[in-house]
Amino acid sequence: MHALVTFSRFVGNTFALWILLFAVLAFYQPAWFLPVIHWLVPLLGLIMFGMGLTLRTEDFREVIRRPLRVLIGVLAQFIIMPGLAWLLCKLLQLPPEIAVGVILVGCCPGGTASNVITWFARGDVALSVAITGATTLLAPLVTPALIWLLATAWLPVQFGALFTSILQVVVLPIALGLVAQRLLGDRVRVAVDVLPLASVICIVALVASIVAASQAKIAESGLLIMAVVILHNGLGLALGYLAGRLCGLPLAQRKTLSIEVGMQNSGLGAALASAHFSPLAAVPSALFSVWHNLSGSLLAAVYRRMED
């Protein structure tokens, strides 16, 4: 068991490389990964169930203890990234399906990978977890509303269908994880110890299947989508840090806000795009999954050396 836990931590610490490796493999051998596209929703649900297993009462107390800083993070998350996505789509005149995909990933809540990156960057991990948890729980209402508001200029958006999907793949699995944690107590520690391995497998499968399903479109428009993803993520990281500075937050919280804003739950974006739009609309989320883990890790190495 100790060997499995050690391997799980190793895979978790190198998850960006695994995502990149299998994304490239899926591009050149799409047939190997195409069947996985039908399992997007269950895979994302498994990731969210794992998040529920790791959430603690202290994480919710952080919202009560420092409500203003959590509120700043939530507002920055749901204003900066959706706004940037809409602006980039307009300025670059993106095709409808790609534009909707970019807006989708911009409107998603923060991703759990941001908590790990925040820890490595010597940011405020408790605040990071609180912001991720708050944006995730608000996502069933806020994410469909933002997508409907910003994306209807390109394609029809069904608020009710998106709301139901997010309840099914985010809120319900997290709630089940919390219940399992409460009922099983310390016995869930074994599962939590191998969660990094399970999460990486699920995320890699998500990304690889989307790349495989859209291989032809990526070959045609991949450079454009990748450029938009890099701009979106980079500007989000920078504006998140700036927002923290303008609000007078200490350095550790500025790092946290930067990472929380710039790193999205792109797995949710991919699942929503595939279910309600098209595989091409899921490509920005898939590429975002690859890129934001790499950029976040590089930025964390820089932030780690910064001191007040």
Side-chain angles (χ1 to χ4, degrees), residues 85-284:
W86 181 86
L87 187 61
L88 287 169
C89 291
K90 284 289 187 181
L91 290 176
L92 299 174
Q93 299 182 333
L94 298 179
E97 288 178 294
I98 297 174
V100 168
V102 172
I103 289 173
L104 258 172
V105 73
C107 295
C108 284
T112 52
S114 62
N115 307 147
V116 178
I117 298 297
T118 298
W119 172 80
F120 186 71
R122 293 179 176 162
D124 189 329
V125 178
L127 180 62
S128 175
V129 173
I131 294 171
T132 299
T135 56
T136 299
L137 293 177
L138 289 170
L141 285 173
V142 178
T143 295
L146 287 171
I147 295 169
W148 177 82
L149 179 67
L150 299 175
T152 45
W154 285 276
L155 289 174
V157 176
Q158 296 181 330
F159 176 91
L162 288 169
F163 173 79
T164 303
S165 289
I166 297 175
L167 281 181
Q168 291 173 343
V169 301
V170 176
V171 177
L172 181 59
I174 288 176
L176 290 173
L178 287 168
V179 170
Q181 182 188 154
R182 180 58 62 92
L183 292 176
L184 299 176
D186 290 341
R187 283 174 287 182
V188 302
R189 285 184 180 176
V190 176
V192 170
D193 286 339
V194 296
L195 268 180
L197 177 59
S199 296
V200 169
I201 290 172
C202 291
I203 294 170
V204 165
L206 280 169
V207 172
S209 64
I210 291 164
V211 170
S214 308
Q215 190 264 357
K217 292 291 185 179
I218 292 174
E220 180 183 329
S221 308
L223 288 178
L224 172 63
I225 301 173
M226 196 68 218
V228 175
V229 164
I230 291 172
L231 277 171
H232 193 196
N233 171 246
L235 290 170
L237 292 168
L239 291 177
Y241 186 89
L242 180 61
R245 192 179 189 89
L246 292 175
C247 292
L249 298 182
L251 178 61
Q253 279 79 52
R254 296 200 299 269
K255 295 176 184 177
T256 300
L257 204 59
S258 169
I259 294 165
E260 281 298 313
V261 170
M263 298 188 70
Q264 301 290 89
N265 187 342
S266 45
L268 175 60
L272 291 176
S274 296
H276 299 282
F277 298 100
S278 69
L280 179 59
V283 172

